[in-house]
Every structure is written in structure tokens, then in C-alpha cells.
Amino acid sequence: MDIRFVTRKIHAYLDYPVAFALIGLPFLLGLGASNPLALWLSVATGVAALVLTVLTDHETGILRVVPYSLHVAVDFMVGLVFVAAPSLFGFSGLDAWFYWLNGAAVLTVIALSRPLSEAREPLSA
């Protein structure tokens, strides 16, 4: 039995709330105590994620010029950077946990995603 249940459609519907959470949660949680970059890295990543989502060729994309495979590759890289960020930038406490948990969540979604050859579902109008 294949446990990879995250389809392109599921991924598409996760993108907007994740982008807005990356923008807003750092302010709500008061990130930046160990390093101001802990706040701004998340905000910048959230803005970039929002732009990427708008441009991605999937169900919630608006302009649909970025291939879904590139979107997934960027998400994977963000997950790796987030997991490494506390060590790279000296984040500690809540700042570190925010990045470790978000990085792990992104990498888990990628790991549970269907292969790109199976992920495409017909777009409905």
C-alpha cells in the first residue's frame, strides 16, 4: 500500500494558507528574540511562496507559468533551509523550533506526495 496520498490538488490547496502563516505567525509568536532574521526569513519566504503559488500550474495557480515540478523542487529546498536555519543563523528557543517544525512539515508533505507522474489530476474549469 502506497502512503503517498498528497496529490497535486491537495498540495495546491495547502499553498495559500501556508504562505499566509509564514507571513503572519512570526509576528504573532514574537519571533526574532535570538536573531531578527528569524522573523524576516519566514516573512520573505511566505511572500515568495505566495508569488510562487500564484504562478504555479496547479489548481489554485492564477497565471500558471511555473511547472508544478519546479514548485515542488523549491518547496523541498525551503524545507532543507528551514531545518538547517537554526544552526546556520544561530536561532534558539522558539525561533529554532519554528524553523525545525516548519521544515519538517514541508519535507513530510514532499515525502507523502505522489510521484509527479501520478500527481497530475485534470484541472476543472
Side-chain angles (χ1 to χ4, degrees):
M1 182 172 131
D2 192 356
I3 64 166
R4 296 176 295 178
F5 65 91
V6 179
T7 63
R8 188 181 76 158
K9 187 174 189 175
I10 291 170
H11 188 126
Y13 284 103
L14 290 173
D15 281 338
Y16 285 101
V18 167
F20 288 120
L22 289 172
I23 294 167
L25 279 177
F27 296 103
L28 292 172
L29 296 173
L31 294 189
S34 64
N35 182 336
L37 185 60
L39 178 115
W40 296 110
L41 178 61
S42 181
V43 173
T45 302
V47 170
L50 185 60
V51 171
L52 181 63
T53 299
V54 166
L55 296 176
T56 297
D57 182 21
H58 64 19
E59 284 73 4
T60 63
I62 296 170
L63 298 178
R64 298 184 180 176
V65 295
V66 173
Y68 177 67
S69 59
L70 178 60
H71 179 114
V72 172
V74 169
D75 283 352
F76 178 72
M77 295 304 296
V78 167
L80 292 177
V81 169
F82 271 33
V83 168
S87 296
L88 292 172
F89 304 118
F91 299 166
S92 61
L94 182 60
D95 293 347
W97 281 104
F98 179 85
Y99 283 90
W100 286 327
L101 292 174
N102 277 295
V106 169
L107 295 174
T108 299
V109 168
I110 299 299
L112 294 176
S113 293
R114 290 192 180 159
L116 294 177
S117 60
E118 299 175 22
R120 184 151 186 102
E121 298 171 9
L123 294 177
S124 57

